[in-house]
Each structure stands twice: as structure tokens, then as C-alpha cells.
Amino acid sequence: MMHFVIMSARHGRRRPAYSGRWEAARLSPVILAVLIIGLAFSTPREIAISRLLPAAPALAAAMWPVFPTIVLGAFCFLAMIILSFFYTDLGTQYTAAAIIAVTLAAAYGSHVRLQREEILFHVRLVADAAQKVLLRPLPRRIDDVEIESLYLAAQEQARIGGDFYEAIGTPHGIRLLIGDVRGKGLSAVGAASAVISCFREAAYDEPDLRAIIHRLETTITRHSAAFPAHDQPEHFATALLAEIPHGGGRVRILNCGHPPPLIAHGGKVRVLEPTVASAPLNLAALIGDRYWVDVVAFAPGDRLLLYTDGVSETRNHDGQFFPLAEWMRQQDLEQPRELLDQLHGDLLRHSGGRLDDDIAALALRCAGAPERGAMGVEG
């Protein structure tokens, strides 16, 4: 099945729409060849500009397929022969031999580059499929709550990492998870996958957020023992669970060492710091397994932003963190998708277009009727 998906994508993919600047860059080998030939005819023969002609097919190898590269080399070779009719002392045989040698080497280099690009394309297809399993598309609306997600990999070619999130409609209400496995590479991805898989089952089965956390704790402990990482003896992860009961009105939050979410309520933005800190996943044996749940009002029109530390710890060139709370106070965007799109752009501008860590965020907006309930902390 995976092979069929890869082959279908391979034969059905479209060439990207290159910008005008990129199109000009792709024509640069031809421009270089024409420029060298023009200078060779217009400058004194003592300068011997024609000796630079092998540079044109060499440049073509970096961006052209094999056949056009050979055609450009043949064009340069023909131009050198024509030049020899006008200037007999240019060392035509040496330059022509250099053009042939460089063209053959450039054609081989172009072939190798295309093979590597094809391999990269297949790898990215597999990574895309893995990401859709790990971070599957979320429903845009559950009950009366609108939900949107954002994921940005720190590395340009990366697709998946240790950040994770999920949102599920259950008989107990809407349950959400966001977290970050400490570490890099496939070991972090494996731990994140184990946590998400456990949450997808426990969210339906367990009536209480604390019971879900206990199951997540057991899962990551077992995974860490079964698949130890080379760079660290054990995995651990920060995580935040949230539950919005049917009918809305409030949100229950259980924060296990994760960055505190932001809520826009009544025209003000609050940072929802946990009343009592709870241990990150797989650290309960060291610092205790008591978990506390905070209850916060979540009325129609309120917005909730959950995020990983890649958002709040994005730095600019001066080393200053992204001012997330202040940024949130300046936003008057109602729709979660618009809010995350604005966050995406502002993070890239703040960091100069380069991210140092993976980024994940969930934006929610309550659009239902309010349900009044007690607010505070559940011990």
C-alpha cells in the first residue's frame, strides 16, 4: 500500500511554480555561455576569455537535467570551433578538450543529483505519511468549539519531531493533549507516538484527566525501558491535558511541566499558570505522582491558545524571547485559523526566518452557549 502511494505521488506530482527569480537563475548557464562568447569576440585575443567556456556546463549540472547539460556543452564546443576560425592562436584544442571533459563530468554530476533528489522525494513522502499518522488532521469543530492546529519543524527538510498534539470528542467532552518529548531524532518521535496512541484510547475510557495522565505516565515509562535512547537514559515529556465538557462554560486543565496556555476572556488575556505544579511524564517516580486540575471559565467568544516551548522560546538576533502574552493581547482576530496564521508569520519575522526548535500550537474558540460552573482547582 505504501509503495502504491509513493508511486502514485511520483507520477502524479506537479512541478512547483517557480518564481521569476528562480527562473532567471535556471537560465544562468545560458546567460554565462552567451556572455563569455560575446566577450571572446569583442576583447583582444591575448585575454583569451574563451577559456572560461567550460564553466557554463559545470554550472548547468547544478540545476539542469542530463540532456540539456550535454546540449549546452555541445553549444560551447561549437562556439569554440567557430572562434578558432577567427583566432588561430587561442589554443583551441586544449579549450575544446576541457569543454568535453567538463561536460561529461557535469552530465554525470547532474545524473547523481537527480537520483538524490528522487531519493529525497521518496523519503519526504514516507515522512509525510508518518506525520499524518502521528499528527493527523484535527476536526475543525467539535460540538461548539472551533479548533485549528499549527506545526513547524525547526529543520527545513524535517516533517516530524518530538512535539505532539491531539483533540478528540468523547462522551466526557472535548479532550485535548499537547506536549513535547525532550530529545531529538527518531527516539523522540517514537516516544511521542506512544503517548499519542495511549491518549487516543484513554481519552474515551477514563472519566477523569488524572486517570489519563497515569496511563500516559505508564506508557512512556514502558516505552523508555523498551527503546532506550542513545543520547539520554530515559525519555520524559512535558504535557498538558484540557477538557471542555459538553455545553462548554469551563475548561479543565492539567499541566505536567508544560508552558502555560493563554486564554482571551472578557477582553483580557490571562496566562493560565497551574495552581500547583505537576510532574512531567516519566518523572513522577522522582518528584511524586500527585496531579492537580485547574478549572477556568470558557465562555462563548473566548479563545484558548495551547503551545509548546518552541513558540515562547523563539529568539531574535538579540537573544530576546518572543513576547507571546503581549502578542496575544494585541490580536483581535476571532477565527483560530487566522490567529495561528498570524502567529506563524510573526514567529518567522521575530526569528529572522530560522527556527531553533519545533513548534506546535492549538487555537480554540468557544462558540456555544455558556454553562455556569464552579471555577478553581481540583486536588
Side-chain angles (χ1 to χ4, degrees), residues 126-146:
V126 174
D128 283 338
Q131 185 192 38
K132 289 179 181 179
V133 174
L134 181 62
L135 299 178
R136 61 188 182 185
L138 300 181
R140 303 189 67 178
R141 187 183 182 107
I142 303 177
D143 292 342
D144 293 323
V145 177
E146 300 169 354

Side-chain angles (χ1 to χ4, degrees), residues 110-164:
S110 176
H111 172 70
V112 172
R113 175 180 56 82
L114 291 174
Q115 281 188 325
R116 291 181 176 177
E117 288 179 354
E118 191 71 14
I119 292 174
L120 178 61
F121 174 74
H122 284 259
V123 171
R124 296 182 71 174
L125 276 181
V126 174
D128 283 338
Q131 185 192 38
K132 289 179 181 179
V133 174
L134 181 62
L135 299 178
R136 61 188 182 185
L138 300 181
R140 303 189 67 178
R141 187 183 182 107
I142 303 177
D143 292 342
D144 293 323
V145 177
E146 300 169 354
I147 305 172
E148 293 289 350
S149 62
L150 171 68
Y151 181 84
L152 298 175
Q155 297 180 358
E156 184 178 357
Q157 300 299 336
R159 285 294 186 270
I160 51 180
D163 290 10
F164 55 89

Side-chain angles (χ1 to χ4, degrees), residues 310-331:
V311 175
S312 56
E313 295 181 4
T314 296
R315 298 175 182 265
N316 60 12
H317 294 299
D318 298 328
Q320 297 176 337
F321 290 124
F322 182 74
L324 183 61
E326 183 62 29
W327 174 88
M328 186 74 172
R329 293 185 180 96
Q330 297 174 359
Q331 306 305 313

Side-chain angles (χ1 to χ4, degrees), residues 23 40 69 87 149 155 193 198 226 267 285 335 361:
E23 287 291 351
T69 301
Y87 306 109
S149 62
Q155 297 180 358
S193 177
C198 177
Q335 299 303 319

